[in-house]
Amino acid sequence: LLWKNGGLLLGIICSLYVVLHSARPQNQNLSLAIVPIIILLGLIFSRFLPLIEDKIFIKEMTNVNMGGWQMYLGVTLFGAFAIFTIMWNFWLKNTAPNNPRLLGFASGALSALLAAFAYSFHCNMDGIFYYLICYWIPIFAIAILGFFMGNKLRW
């Protein structure tokens, strides 16, 4: 619960910080956004370390239990699209960013992270490779979609 949900919460904090600071032209100091990312990478590394020490890293990587991935993917993608659509229609289209692609990327990531965070309380799969594959790949996919949607945020 702590590292899986905590990692997603750190992602939410980071993407929310970037969204809030890049939505207006006067707010462009994004240097603090690196802190949650470093902590998140430390959490992921802390999950890899016991696998490396016990010499089961390759075994764990090649035998990932992917149970329930269809449900997770459906719920997270639907939730992310719903959150992104609401954010877009009620807030993002009224912003004036200097870097609209960055704002689109961060808002896409924020949408997916919120949906993933909500679902993570239901999900009982706690393997690090499941977490990276089933959680972070869809999050980055929605963030990349947001990156391309960011072109429409010009002011």
Side-chain angles (χ1 to χ4, degrees), residues 54-118:
D54 295 339
K55 298 181 179 159
I56 57 171
F57 184 83
I58 299 297
K59 180 183 176 237
E60 289 288 325
M61 187 170 59
T62 56
N63 295 313
V64 178
N65 181 358
M66 296 296 285
W69 70 270
Q70 301 95 335
M71 176 64 108
Y72 164 78
L73 195 60
V75 169
T76 301
L77 290 178
F78 178 76
F81 286 129
I83 293 167
F84 190 72
T85 302
I86 291 168
M87 278 179 35
W88 186 276
N89 287 319
F90 290 104
W91 183 46
L92 291 176
K93 68 181 183 181
N94 298 320
T95 61
N98 283 338
N99 190 343
R101 286 184 170 178
L102 175 64
L103 179 60
F105 183 87
S107 59
L110 178 61
S111 302
L113 281 159
L114 288 170
F117 183 71

Side-chain angles (χ1 to χ4, degrees), residues 4-65:
K4 180 175 73 171
N5 296 4
L8 295 171
L9 184 60
L10 284 170
I12 289 170
I13 292 167
C14 180
S15 58
L16 182 61
Y17 179 82
V18 173
V19 167
L20 292 175
H21 282 79
S22 63
R24 297 282 176 229
Q26 69 272 15
N27 294 330
Q28 291 298 311
N29 185 6
L30 301 175
S31 58
L32 285 178
I34 195 73
V35 174
I37 293 171
I38 291 171
I39 295 170
L40 176 62
L41 292 174
L43 280 173
I44 291 171
F45 181 73
S46 74
R47 301 301 297 175
F48 281 146
L49 198 56
L51 298 176
I52 294 168
E53 288 175 349
D54 295 339
K55 298 181 179 159
I56 57 171
F57 184 83
I58 299 297
K59 180 183 176 237
E60 289 288 325
M61 187 170 59
T62 56
N63 295 313
V64 178
N65 181 358

